[in-house]
Amino acid sequence: MAKEKTGKEIFDTYIAPSLKEARKRMTKDTNNFLFEIDDRYIDMGIKIRDRKLTYMVKTYGCQGNLADSEKICGIMDALKYTEVDKEEKADVIFFNTCAIRENAENRIYGELGRLKNLKKRNRDLLIALCGCMPQEEVTIKRINESFPQVDIVFGTHNIHKIPELLYKAYKSNNNVFEVMSIEGDIVEGMPQKRISDIKAWVDIMYGCDEFCTYCIVPYTRGKERSRRPEAIINEVKELVEKGYKEITLLGQNVNAYGKDFVDIKYSFANLLEDLAKTNIPRIRYTTSHPRDLDKDTMDVMGKYENIMPHLHLPVQSGSDKILKKMNRKYTKEIYLEKINYLKKQVPGLALTTDIIVGFPYEDEDDYNETLDLVRKADFEGAYTFIYSPRAGTPAATYEQIDEDVSKARLLKLNELINEGFAKGNKRFENSVVEVLVDGFSDKNPEMLCGYTKHNKLVNFEGDVSLIGKFVNVYIDKAYTWHLHGTLKSDALQK
Ligand code: SAH
Ligand code: SF4
Ligand code: F3S
């Protein structure tokens, strides 16, 4: 029998992530395989440490990471670990990280530093770093040099290998690093412990092939690869049977769904329509790319009541010059044309977006083009960012602009965005809206909260029994960030 490798050996043979390798895209078909757990990994706590063990997952970044964390929890439960909500109680802590901007990463390094003391108190504690950060060469170097307290490092391509990685960490008493710069496979059947029993994330595709010049995601998540339609439709049908009320379809660029199939012709519009027919009460999706958002998709959105009248369509900039330097492959005019068409198909559509300011070469004229676009598009919300150079991406080598200029641009842009937010809420004042009740409000635990079809947050008084149900609420006051209302009806049938 082959001798079990020690952690050091694993470390020595491990292939470091390479942004250059990660950039490669081949036309080969994606491998699909089914997740399985070997029996020897189940109940490792009892088998190896003579006691039940616990775990905690800390999630940063986008919905893609939230969905991945549900899978990490699903796998840990299957291994018979118990989830806990405090670091002090945990025997394994996962940091499911985000690499999108420098400040996101600095936060994680801060947290990892803090955990050194916890390790002194619990000798069994394993710290696992996963998600997008380990896919960067710079992260691995820094962890290696300055964070010996990190025991396990894996990337976005090997969540399914958690059982094996944990086992190796226990057996070797050494660090276990495994990060792959591969294009990526699709692993079906991983157990998923969903955060909510009302709303569910549904991955429809992984990776990104857009290579916007500022963005690290195509390097950290591999090539665009779509899940098979049957797998997605069956997952949604099961969710309907379990009583789920809302799904959000996830992908970095959902409009590219299906473009990688070699044996069938099946697009995002086809998928959206087939899912609308499952009668799940509410469908949302994120994120869309303005270039790939096509007429078929917009037509399907207008045709089905259960596809929500809200779209998050990141524009990034209103200047054609900057859009070109970002490699976004559309112009301000094309963006406006598309949203105008969509607003005709979906009257009352709520549109939100992402915008980056301070991108290299952005001058006052470019910035004013962005402000102009914001006014014309009538956004009802936006995530706004100052450009953050990411090592290995093309834009990191461009001449950077002054940080104070970027900060001032962000402030002024946010004022305009907040006006749009408030205006978008105001249009519902003195009307009745349908709300899917999420639970009690974090800010005011006396009040229930939930979202409207247009994705507006509503607070109102009501009974605990309404959680998970649809209700009609009369909106008596609109604020910038939420609506305040009065319950009009008991739970609606749906
Ligand atoms: N796939 C999605 C989301 C990507 S990340 C999309 O294409 O929109 C979410 C947002 O982060 C992006 O839309 C962009 O606005 C922002 N972002 C990405 N890289 C960034 C960087 N290097 N600096 C600042 N903001 C960035
Ligand atoms: Fe990044 Fe662009 Fe892909 Fe979005 S579409 S993940 S911004 S490269
Ligand atoms: Fe961050 Fe990775 Fe998502 S970089 S935004 S967690 S895809």
Side-chain angles (χ1 to χ4, degrees):
M1 214 175 86
K3 196 170 154 279
E4 194 70 48
K5 282 183 178 177
T6 66
K8 185 76 179 86
E9 282 167 313
I10 291 158
F11 183 81
D12 287 343
T13 55
Y14 120 99
I15 310 157
S18 144
L19 292 187
K20 207 165 142 228
E21 283 300 308
R23 199 185 159 86
K24 287 184 187 157
R25 295 292 187 266
M26 317 279 240
T27 46
K28 78 169 178 54
D29 204 6
T30 304
N31 294 320
N32 272 258
F33 61 90
L34 207 61
F35 176 76
E36 278 175 329
I37 299 185
D38 191 306
D39 266 352
R40 71 182 158 147
Y41 300 136
I42 295 176
D43 234 344
M44 274 184 276
I46 299 289
K47 285 178 190 157
I48 299 174
R49 289 286 189 265
D50 268 342
R51 65 180 179 95
K52 282 267 173 209
L53 294 174
T54 58
Y55 76 95
M56 178 178 183
V57 182
K58 304 188 74 166
T59 312
Y60 306 83
C62 64
Q63 289 95 337
N65 261 13
L66 284 171
D68 282 350
S69 286
E70 293 185 338
K71 289 175 192 158
I72 296 173
C73 292
I75 293 173
M76 292 304 282
D77 281 9
L79 294 175
K80 305 236 185 284
Y81 280 72
T82 310
E83 189 174 6
V84 291
D85 58 1
K86 289 213 168 51
E87 287 167 358
E88 294 75 26
K89 293 191 208 156
D91 296 309
V92 188
I93 305 175
F94 292 89
F95 283 84
N96 193 7
T97 62
C98 172
I100 203 81
R101 280 169 293 275
E102 195 183 354
N103 53 8
E105 299 202 337
N106 286 343
R107 231 176 103 202
I108 312 262
Y109 285 122
E111 295 230 8
L112 289 178
R114 208 173 36 77
L115 286 187
K116 234 179 178 169
N117 287 332
L118 268 190
K119 286 208 85 157
K120 288 187 193 138
R121 273 192 264 157
N122 177 2
R123 298 222 162 260
D124 279 343
L125 175 63
L126 291 180
I127 298 177
L129 189 77
C130 57
C132 285
M133 270 172 70
Q135 297 289 151
E136 300 174 292
E137 292 158 58
V138 281
T139 305
I140 296 295
K141 195 162 171 281
R142 190 160 165 194
I143 293 289
N144 229 345
E145 284 168 5
S146 316
F147 294 87
Q149 65 269 41
V150 175
D151 302 281
I152 303 178
V153 179
F154 59 97
T156 54
H157 297 296
N158 41 2
I159 292 175
H160 61 286
K161 292 184 79 178
I162 287 176
E164 190 186 323
L165 296 174
L166 278 173
Y167 184 80
K168 283 176 176 168
Y170 289 127
K171 288 286 180 193
S172 69
N173 286 324
N174 212 330
N175 298 0
V176 178
F177 283 41
E178 190 185 286
V179 185
M180 294 177 265
S181 289
I182 52 169
E183 297 178 54
D185 298 320
I186 291 183
V187 188
E188 288 293 347
M190 274 195 261
Q192 193 165 355
K193 183 181 185 183
R194 297 189 187 271
I195 303 170
S196 155
D197 49 15
I198 306 165
K199 302 186 196 178
W201 309 115
V202 178
D203 284 316
I204 64 165
M205 61 188 300
Y206 306 100
C208 180
D209 284 350
E210 291 294 332
F211 289 101
C212 303
T213 54
Y214 50 81
C215 185
I216 196 75
V217 174
Y219 307 86
T220 64
R221 294 266 169 183
K223 73 166 177 177
E224 266 171 17
R225 50 211 196 275
S226 309
R227 286 179 71 198
R228 302 295 297 185
E230 321 77 73
I232 301 168
I233 295 167
N234 286 340
E235 182 175 335
V236 172
K237 282 184 179 162
E238 272 174 32
L239 290 168
V240 175
E241 265 169 38
K242 286 183 184 153
Y244 276 83
K245 298 294 190 293
E246 180 175 308
I247 54 166
T248 302
L249 309 178
L250 292 184
Q252 293 300 337
N253 172 12
V254 292
N255 304 106
Y257 175 82
K259 288 187 179 167
D260 54 320
F261 290 143
V262 287
D263 56 336
I264 50 169
K265 233 176 116 37
Y266 191 85
S267 67
F268 181 63
N270 297 136
L271 180 70
L272 202 54
E273 183 149 29
D274 282 343
L275 294 178
K277 289 178 189 160
T278 63
N279 289 329
I280 182 90
R282 285 184 172 190
I283 303 179
R284 304 184 190 277
Y285 62 89
T286 197
T287 309
S288 275
H289 190 293
R291 186 200 53 178
D292 292 333
L293 173 67
D294 58 7
K295 186 173 168 297
D296 288 353
T297 301
M298 296 192 268
D299 291 344
V300 171
M301 279 187 84
K303 204 165 137 193
Y304 291 89
E305 281 282 306
N306 56 348
I307 303 176
M308 293 301 100
H310 165 231
L311 183 67
H312 185 69
L313 191 63
V315 68
Q316 315 298 0
S317 170
S319 150
D320 290 348
K321 177 186 105 190
I322 297 296
L323 287 171
K324 199 154 193 240
K325 290 201 186 298
M326 288 176 162
N327 191 30
R328 291 290 288 181
K329 305 177 201 109
Y330 54 84
T331 59
K332 177 183 181 189
E333 196 185 334
I334 293 176
Y335 185 90
L336 288 170
E337 269 170 20
K338 285 208 179 177
I339 61 170
N340 286 338
Y341 181 81
L342 181 59
K343 283 179 179 177
K344 279 197 200 108
Q345 309 313 307
V346 187
L349 176 90
L351 188 70
T352 55
T353 198
D354 291 347
I355 296 171
I356 297 175
V357 295
F359 189 77
Y361 310 111
E362 184 187 71
D363 60 25
E364 281 302 308
D365 288 345
D366 298 314
Y367 175 64
N368 284 329
E369 289 286 342
T370 299
L371 297 182
D372 181 60
L373 174 102
V374 169
R375 286 188 199 101
K376 289 192 171 126
D378 245 333
F379 293 122
E380 297 192 354
Y383 296 108
T384 55
F385 311 101
I386 292 179
Y387 167 66
S388 167
R390 306 281 66 215
T393 60
T397 63
Y398 302 169
E399 196 180 321
Q400 306 295 316
I401 75 164
D402 188 77
E403 208 185 320
D404 288 338
V405 173
S406 303
K407 281 185 185 157
R409 286 182 187 164
L410 185 74
L411 273 181
K412 193 169 150 203
L413 171 66
N414 283 347
E415 276 171 29
L416 193 61
I417 294 294
N418 294 350
E419 275 172 33
F421 215 119
K423 191 171 148 208
N425 276 344
K426 191 88 181 161
R427 68 184 170 115
F428 295 99
E429 222 172 51
N430 301 321
S431 69
V432 174
V433 293
E434 180 201 88
V435 177
L436 173 57
V437 187
D438 277 339
F440 287 99
S441 159
D442 283 343
K443 293 215 174 94
N444 183 354
E446 309 277 286
M447 305 277 262
L448 288 173
C449 68
Y451 285 84
T452 70
K453 290 182 173 182
H454 296 83
N455 213 29
K456 309 287 177 189
L457 176 64
V458 182
N459 289 344
F460 61 101
E461 277 177 26
D463 189 71
V464 59
S465 62
L466 295 177
I467 295 173
K469 308 263 165 59
F470 290 97
V471 290
N472 281 329
V473 176
Y474 177 80
I475 301 303
D476 29 57
K477 181 113 184 82
Y479 297 88
T480 306
W481 310 117
H482 77 282
L483 300 166
H484 181 276
T486 312
L487 190 65
K488 274 290 277 187
S489 65
D490 290 336
L492 306 169
Q493 288 305 313
K494 250 197 182 182

